[in-house]
Amino acid sequence: DVPIASLEAASTFGWQAITGSHGLNIGLDRFGASAPDDVLAEQFGFTAPAVAAKIAAWLACLFVHRYLASTMGSLTRAIWDTN
């Protein structure tokens, strides 16, 4: 399972087919904002630091989830094997 993320300054619609159920889809699922592009990028989190932070947090959550899943699986087997 390779983590896949999508980034589009438009709708995230359709990206889950590529990123999968555990993928990260960063996009803008609304419309109607009007301003210079740098203002909109800042407001909606499309700056490089904001995107990097979102991806880093997502990867950390995936790592913790996978670690806990593997640890809990081992712990459950150990409990059942001793009884």
Side-chain angles (χ1 to χ4, degrees), residues 50-83:
V51 170
K54 286 178 188 176
I55 293 173
W58 168 66
L59 289 172
C61 286
L62 280 179
F63 175 79
V64 168
H65 174 75
R66 289 179 181 175
Y67 174 78
L68 289 176
S70 67
T71 302
M72 294 307 291
S74 299
L75 179 59
T76 301
R77 283 190 299 278
I79 291 170
W80 282 108
D81 290 345
T82 60
N83 290 328

Side-chain angles (χ1 to χ4, degrees), residues 19-54:
T19 60
S21 59
H22 298 292
L24 174 65
N25 301 302
I26 301 171
L28 188 60
D29 291 316
R30 56 177 263 195
F31 63 94
S34 180
D37 60 348
D38 57 337
V39 172
L40 292 174
E42 186 72 35
Q43 181 178 351
F44 293 113
F46 284 102
T47 63
V51 170
K54 286 178 188 176

